[in-house]
Amino acid sequence: MKKPRYPAKKSIATKVETASRPKNRSVKSQVRPVPRLTAHQIMEALRHAGQPLSAPQFATYLKLTGKSVNETLIQQLGELERSGELVRNRRDEYCLRERIGLVVGVVSGHRDGHGFVQPDDRSAPVFLSHRQMQQVMHGDRVSVRITGTDRRGRPEGSIVDVLMRSTQDIVGRLYEDSGVFFVVPDNPRISHRIVVPVRQLQGARSGQIVLLKLIEQPGRHAQPMGHVTRILGDHGAPGMETDIAIHAHGLRCEFPPQVEAEAKRFGDAVSASSKRQRLDLRALPLVTIDGEDARDFDDAVYCEPVRGGWRLLVAIADVGHYVGLGTELDGEARLRGTSVYFPNRVIPMLPEALSNGLCSLNPNVDRLCMVCEMRISPAGKVTRAQFFEAVMCSAARLTYTEVAAYLANPSSLNTSQARALGEPLQHLYGVFKALFQARTERHALEFDSPELKARFDSQGRVASFVEASRNDAHRLIEECMIAANVQAAKFLKKHKIPALYRVHGAPEEDRLEKLREFLRGFAISLPLPQDAPITPAVLSGVLQKTNSSDEARLIETVVVRSLPQAVYQPENIGHFGLALNEYAHFTSPIRRYPDLLVHRGIRHVLRGGTAEDWPEALSNMEVLGQECSMLERRADDATRDAMSWLKCEYMQNRIGDEFDTIVTGVVEFGLFAQVKGMQIDGLIHVSSLGTDYFHRDKTGYRLVGERSGRVFRLGDPLRVRLINVVIDERKIDFELVQARNRPVSMASGLQVDKTFRNRSLRSRRDGKRRRI
């Protein structure tokens, strides 16, 4: 007799029947619980069936009866359909996605109108044409069928179903054309024009910036429609760049009343009961060192010499004491993920009552903290470390500027505060030099680019841009924080507590090959993969082989672009850039949710917990890591957009002015150049480079004149004139005034020119034009 193909078919039905039986049979009035299958059981049942099933067929197959049972099953099937695990065909039958060759993922729009689907399984992105993108928006979750490959060899897809719409609110500028009103979204990844019926304008005028609520999503044959929910203001009004960025990226800028209420119930001061069973550090002169414009202080430091080195204390605000797991505050903090710092405004992760109040290590007030105490040798090695909960009182709120001035010349500051804190600051400087020496010896990458800050006038408009260079005070705090972060990661790893590590992988080979080609133009070699692996030491050596500050900054920029993005994840793979085997974020729980999770893990161990009794709500660190990484990128994109707007606004009044720039990008249609000292980028179109045909050579980092042999490459200094600014598109256009190519560039250009002209002549004889 032939053996049945699926002998375990009855097992799932048996489990359901068992789960549905009342435990106490003696109570006749007991209500039978509605059986709820797990997603795994439903998927396994469909695999065993070997064919698509409708909801009634599914219920029959599983031997489920009763109206409530069937309703529950239909609900679960719908959830799996929305998640993309199941697909419903035209006969209302549920199919396994894996059996019908569909790819499920999130749409990533491109400013040129096409897009990509980023698959859930992290396989290669699927290209979506302009036509396919007409029915979806950036961020939508879709299932697609692979239909072939595009002209670049990438998999190309056709949308089968839109599983989830992610865009409900859109910010943009309102326009009117022949009586038809529409909004152009500020987000360049959304290429649709959203129609606004006249009755839905809510008083908005053409040219204003508005917030829309979508009332109809885009379709294959329909445009999206929306109604105005808020008028943000006139285009170019002070602060408009921040409002646009907030709404364009979906940032939560207001706290729900229940969250504010929960934050305020702790009061203005630390209660006596909260200080109990904590180590009292109020007698130690712990100090905070931050920027002049900082308002939330989440780290304080103290150092003293001991036998064999130093005793370093890094005290971090104990946010976890106030933000408990599962509370309203915790839920809101998780949704935000991070504080967002705009040039003229901060969107905090926690309400002000905590972020600037109880959780902020303000001077001369008692505060709760989580402390990492380390013993550090003269060689910069941490020989011993421990964590504990404490109460502290900050002795002073210091700034990077005044600390750097004091360290450079201790006699220059004669204030009583400087005299009182001078000795601990000198000890901090000593431990910093030891830690920095250890950093140098392990060849961690050192990026020292100045930070760009916008200065505003009394009307709130940007008046100037200033580069703020890093000093030894910045580096001192950075090294202390890195040391504490490393110990936090080691502590959690030792106790096997599920946690989020801050990981940074090694660069991929395709990016390294582009970097290798770029560095050849500067006579710097990068080992081939078969010769030696690329380590932090190799790239650190590259950063030191520069002849000028402009060259150094450019090479640093290209090296950064070759590196992957650091992310949060439970799997510890180390931190390539810092050349560390273990690293986690512990030192900024006021503004980063991953730091709060690390604090919870450490507290769990300090209070006698183990990995076995770790809260189930925190067990899925994979999901938390993905959320936190995504929210971090969203915050970075929002602040970058706001700064780009301000740069365009500032340059709009300087059309016709000339600037010294450095070439930072080479594309087929021209050069991107950055204004020195202001980090403002603009395009020099190829048509303004001279009366010649210019082509990007095979390295991708140079434009070569076909007739003249003139060469423009990355790093070249150019004198340009500003000719156009388009704020809405964040575009700045320059034209060339004078090219000051270095002799080596022109020489190499002439050599390339001979080859290029010979090839071009041969191609023209064949009736073709070739590019190299």
Side-chain angles (χ1 to χ4, degrees), residues 277-279 318 369-370 387-391 603 606-607:
Q277 298 182 338
R278 286 175 176 262
L279 191 64
D318 192 355
C369 59
M370 185 78 74
F387 288 87
F388 53 84
E389 298 171 88
V391 58
R603 186 194 313 278
L606 294 180
R607 296 187 177 182

Side-chain angles (χ1 to χ4, degrees), residues 447 511 555-564:
F447 300 118
R511 292 191 177 190
I555 290 177
E556 181 178 305
T557 299
V558 177
V559 169
V560 168
R561 290 174 184 171
S562 71
L563 299 173

Side-chain angles (χ1 to χ4, degrees), residues 263-271 317-318 322 352-362 366-368 590:
K264 290 177 180 177
R265 73 179 176 84
F266 295 107
D268 299 326
V270 179
S271 66
D318 192 355
Y322 302 100
E352 192 170 344
L354 293 180
S355 61
N356 295 343
L358 271 181
C359 290
S360 183
L361 305 181
N362 299 323
D366 290 353
R367 290 291 183 258
L368 304 182
I590 291 178

Side-chain angles (χ1 to χ4, degrees), residues 189-495:
R189 293 179 179 271
I190 300 177
S191 56
H192 298 79
R193 300 293 180 259
I194 294 89
V195 176
V196 183
V198 175
R199 63 182 181 278
Q200 303 284 7
L201 288 173
Q202 307 299 328
R205 303 187 309 272
S206 179
Q208 289 185 315
I209 305 298
V210 298
L211 183 64
L212 285 183
K213 174 75 71 176
L214 288 182
I215 54 180
E216 285 189 23
Q217 292 282 350
R220 193 165 294 167
H221 306 293
Q223 281 185 283
M225 296 182 65
H227 67 88
V228 176
T229 57
R230 183 177 171 188
I231 301 172
L232 298 182
D234 293 328
H235 185 268
M240 184 56 64
E241 74 290 336
T242 302
D243 286 335
I244 289 175
I246 287 171
H247 294 291
H249 293 275
L251 300 179
R252 300 171 68 89
C253 58
E254 295 180 359
F255 288 98
Q258 64 270 24
V259 175
E260 291 276 14
E262 190 174 284
K264 290 177 180 177
R265 73 179 176 84
F266 295 107
D268 299 326
V270 179
S271 66
S273 61
S274 299
K275 300 176 187 177
R276 296 192 191 110
Q277 298 182 338
R278 286 175 176 262
L279 191 64
D280 192 343
L281 300 180
R282 286 175 287 187
L284 284 182
L286 285 147
V287 297
T288 62
I289 305 175
D290 294 274
E292 282 79 359
D293 54 353
R295 295 179 61 194
D296 52 348
F297 314 116
D298 45 17
D299 58 83
V301 290
Y302 169 77
C303 186
E304 63 182 12
V306 294
R307 196 171 87 178
W310 295 271
R311 174 190 179 219
L312 173 64
L313 269 67
V314 176
I316 307 300
D318 192 355
V319 177
H321 177 82
Y322 302 100
V323 184
L325 179 64
T327 61
E328 296 285 349
L329 280 167
D330 179 57
E332 185 68 18
R334 179 173 174 176
L335 288 173
R336 294 178 178 232
T338 178
S339 296
V340 187
Y341 294 87
F342 291 104
N344 57 353
R345 183 178 172 185
V346 177
I347 309 297
M349 185 180 79
L350 299 173
E352 192 170 344
L354 293 180
S355 61
N356 295 343
L358 271 181
C359 290
S360 183
L361 305 181
N362 299 323
N364 305 315
V365 290
D366 290 353
R367 290 291 183 258
L368 304 182
C369 59
M370 185 78 74
V371 180
C372 177
E373 179 183 351
M374 294 168 279
R375 296 295 177 96
I376 299 175
S377 72
K381 182 179 179 181
V382 178
T383 58
R384 193 179 357 158
Q386 64 172 332
F387 288 87
F388 53 84
E389 298 171 88
V391 58
M392 61 164 285
C393 181
S394 173
R397 178 266 198 268
L398 304 177
T399 67
Y400 293 123
T401 302
E402 59 187 354
V403 170
Y406 174 79
L407 295 176
N409 184 10
S411 62
S412 64
L413 296 180
N414 295 317
T415 64
S416 59
Q417 186 181 68
R419 287 194 299 272
L421 299 174
E423 190 173 348
L425 287 177
Q426 290 295 337
H427 297 323
L428 279 169
Y429 195 44
V431 80
F432 152 67
K433 288 188 284 188
L435 289 170
F436 192 78
Q437 179 61 31
R439 176 194 183 114
T440 303
E441 289 176 359
R442 71 173 186 265
H443 301 290
L445 300 182
E446 181 69 17
F447 300 118
D448 222 12
S449 298
E451 181 184 1
L452 188 69
K453 291 185 176 293
R455 305 297 185 196
F456 298 88
D457 60 20
S458 57
Q459 283 76 42
R461 296 188 181 277
V462 63
S464 62
F465 289 97
V466 179
E467 286 188 333
S469 298
R470 281 160 43 87
N471 54 43
D472 276 352
H474 291 91
R475 299 182 186 96
L476 184 156
I477 291 299
E478 181 181 74
E479 288 305 317
C480 291
M481 298 305 112
I482 289 175
N485 286 338
V486 170
Q487 296 310 313
K490 288 183 174 181
F491 183 89
L492 294 171
K493 182 180 178 181
K494 175 184 175 181
H495 294 280

Side-chain angles (χ1 to χ4, degrees), residues 637-656:
D637 290 344
T639 52
R640 192 181 301 113
D641 282 356
M643 185 63 86
S644 296
W645 175 290
L646 290 174
K647 290 175 180 179
C648 289
E649 183 182 273
Y650 175 75
M651 296 294 277
Q652 194 173 35
N653 299 321
R654 304 192 64 178
I655 291 178

Side-chain angles (χ1 to χ4, degrees), residues 677-688:
M678 291 192 285
Q679 299 180 23
I680 296 177
D681 292 281
L683 173 68
I684 308 171
H685 195 266
V686 67
S687 60
S688 73

